[in-house]
Amino acid sequence: MRDPVFDTVIEYLKGVGPQRADTIKKELHLFTFRDLLRYFPFRYIDKTQFFSIAQAKQSDLSAQIVVKMLQFEEVGTKFKRRLVAKVEDSSGQLELVWFKGIRWIKPKLQIGKSYTIYGKVTQYNGKFNMTHPDIAEINGKPETKGLQPVYHSSEKLNTKGLNSKGFETVIANCLNKVHGRISENIPEFILNQYNLINREMAFRQVHFPDDETSLAKAKFRLKFEELLFVQLELLMTKQLVQKKYKGQVFDQLGPYFNDFFENYLPFELTGAQKRVIKEIRRDMGNGAQMNRLLQGDVGSGKTLVALMVMLIAIGNDCQAALMAPTEILAQQHYETLTSMCKGMKLRIELLTGSVKKSARKPIHEGLENGDIHILIGTHALLEDAVKFKNLGLVVIDEQHRFGVAQRARLWHKNSIPPHILVMTATPIPRTLAMTLYGDLDVSIIDELPPGRKPIKTVHYYESARLKLFGFIEEQIAEGRQVYIVYPLIDESEKLDLKNLSEGFESIERRFPKPDYQVSVVHGKMKPENKDYEMQLFAQGKTNIMVATTVIEVGVNVPNASVMVIENAERFGLSQLHQLRGRVGRGAKQSYCILMSDYKLSKDGKVRLETMVRTNDGFEISEVDLKLRGPGNLMGTQQSGVLDLKIADLAKDQAILSAARRAAIELLEDDPSLKKIENRELGIQLMYQMKNRPNWSRIS
Ligand code: ADP
Ligand code: MG
């Protein structure tokens, strides 16, 4: 919509004016005609057909009926006053009831006249009635009205007369104003190939559909267009990156990798680990800068892969950095990597926010003169003071915790941008990955190290608590360790801490000293105390760790075999899956026990059932996407996915695949969209890309 008419601000529209325009801007962030036309109805009222009273009584849905007025009267006293009317058609009788607006409705009613009414029939005290129906007098032949759009409104908008009906009028006015000017932007051969209706028709029909079929076609066209643009943007960015950004060429595995592989490798690599190392190696050797996503479920052994590819970088005279989202994780990576590489001539350093100033200086120097091979840290790595001699590879662990801007800063740490490997343990549904990371190459570790037994998951209600304690006792007697996790939800942090400390006390009563050691960890503790408790647990000195979700990410204690999650219904699916991933890391059978209230929401129930049914992170992420929609999933906040106005990634997978196919075909034939038939598409795409933050460059 490049025609300047679409830039017209909405206050110039008939029926809007400055005051209403102001409220619309504040409440809905709609400024121009373009914005308004993209304010799509969220549902439709079906007035395409008439029902009989008898049919409507059988149905749970709203129905449109033609009726004759038999009688009406106001009944009840002051506060319980209501207007009751009796109507009939050939199939039976029905009562209509109004509690409000009696003054307006009553004068419209006349005995013996015909009306169309619209509403839901419900049963009250054995009688069928319809409360607050839409009602309109019929003059002549009853006419169907098609599908009526329903728009989201708000209390503030309502008071300004902008309820759904109000929007209907405003949008109808807007459509009149732009009549004939919503120009086509998709080339004709694509329209034909994918059976798409033209653009102006699609906008008209999505707001004011003639019938279900036209509505479906309009929605398909608009969703396709929206997703086509996202895909084109991603694919073009990818082309651009590959062309423009040269990367360092790592043409050998190098001495460090080989030494490690021959002398230090702690266990045989899994097939999946070997495969992804090969993929990454190939990517770092072909002259272009690597942007790769490494997906692998919790416990699949991503850390070892990270280390080995960093060793390749070092063997090619570069430095490498590993960035983790929390201090604890960075610390743990540091310990894991230094112990794995013990004996090798390698300098590995840790840099986090809590490293003292005096200790920083030698690190800064070592980085600048190239003495330090691997730097591990948190976002402290991004500070300007941190300069490398030649940074060749950055590995980012648990990528979703980093903002885009933070990642962009890494890019500039070297004259030739470093290769980037983003690791995530939060599996992303295929459709979402295609949209979020369409510009990234993806490697997947789809195999767990051998000898792991699948974690057994059960869901218990409070009544099973004694059984739970008995089970914990048995496991500890066998030498295992136990996590007990409490939810922490920001608004009621105090309450949650109370839950946690009460839980802790009851556990200590049941598992008293000196026979048992119980520790507690939560986010309000000083980092050093937290680390101390974590260390004790990691060393096997405590039996039970009572904690909030601070342990969610990455912590690795193979001897821990039981994960108890209290109030499990309060956690999201991906969080539950992450928590469960803390156990099942050793050779012993592990268990995850989900404790919950008796009262469960529908979604809560689905979440717990899903956890009990499967250990597969991808399956879980699909369910999560269906339950919550893409906007709430990790990683989506930073991308264009949230701008989607009409497509729904959870439901429109088929359309997405089609749009992606079309985008690939288009670009294969015309990489910069310069051909005459693609020009409009190309121009609009450039316009869109220019107006968006450059998130797609890295993530
Ligand atoms: P994640 O992918 O969740 O980061 P980690 O890298 O922490 O997983 O690995 C989980 C555990 O599996 C660690 O204890 C690690 O030492 C072990 N591990 C990794 N690779 C292998 C392998 N090939 N064989 C056996 N154990 C492995
Ligand atoms: Mg990890």
Side-chain angles (χ1 to χ4, degrees), residues 267-270 273 297-303 449 452 556 585:
F267 16 63
E268 175 113 13
L269 294 173
T270 64
Q273 284 171 321
D297 218 337
V298 275
S300 60
K302 293 187 290 295
T303 316
R452 299 268 176 84
N556 189 23
R585 303 187 146 232

Side-chain angles (χ1 to χ4, degrees), residues 471-541:
F471 178 70
I472 291 176
E473 191 175 336
E474 278 169 30
Q475 287 285 307
I476 293 176
E478 285 179 27
R480 304 280 88 74
Q481 290 165 280
V482 179
Y483 294 106
I484 302 179
V485 178
Y486 285 82
L488 188 66
I489 290 173
D490 293 333
E491 309 106 70
S492 58
E493 216 171 314
K494 269 202 194 118
L495 198 80
D496 289 317
L497 276 180
K498 188 166 150 261
N499 277 344
L500 178 76
S501 58
E502 278 174 9
F504 175 56
E505 280 162 24
S506 78
I507 298 289
E508 269 204 319
R509 274 197 300 279
R510 178 61 176 71
F511 297 96
K513 282 177 185 157
D515 296 346
Y516 297 94
Q517 296 299 325
V518 183
S519 68
V520 64
V521 173
H522 57 80
K524 287 273 145 187
M525 285 164 78
K526 283 202 181 127
E528 54 267 35
N529 296 344
K530 206 158 67 184
D531 284 354
Y532 177 75
E533 293 292 346
M534 292 280 218
Q535 292 303 341
L536 285 185
F537 190 72
Q539 291 158 8
K541 290 180 181 153

Side-chain angles (χ1 to χ4, degrees), residues 290 294 302-303 305-307 309-310 320-324 375 377 381 393-397 402 410 419-423:
M290 172 177 80
L294 176 59
K302 293 187 290 295
T303 316
V305 171
L307 171 63
V309 299
M310 288 197 286
L322 172 59
M323 196 155 76
L375 181 65
L381 291 191
L393 168 68
V394 180
V395 181
I396 303 175
D397 195 14
F402 283 106
L410 271 175
H419 296 297
I420 307 258
L421 180 67
V422 171
M423 305 199 293

Side-chain angles (χ1 to χ4, degrees), residues 3 21 55 79 133 205 214 232 235 318 382 419 448 472 483 499 509 524 533 544 573 636 650 698:
D3 190 328
Q55 283 170 329
F79 294 110
Q205 288 293 323
S214 318
L232 283 173
L235 293 168
C318 280
L382 298 170
H419 296 297
L448 292 181
I472 291 176
Y483 294 106
N499 277 344
R509 274 197 300 279
K524 287 273 145 187
E533 293 292 346
I544 300 175
L573 258 179
T636 56
I698 302 182

Side-chain angles (χ1 to χ4, degrees), residues 12 45 53 57 73 89 112 173 211 214 219 249 313 337 369 431 436 496 510 533 575 636 650 661 671-672 679 694:
Y12 295 127
I45 294 172
I53 288 178
K57 284 177 181 171
E73 59 176 339
D89 70 1
N173 287 343
D211 51 42
S214 318
K219 278 185 168 169
V249 181
L337 298 200
N369 65 26
T431 49
L436 277 178
D496 289 317
R510 178 61 176 71
E533 293 292 346
Q575 219 178 5
T636 56
R661 235 181 308 129
S672 46
R679 262 198 61 209
N694 193 7

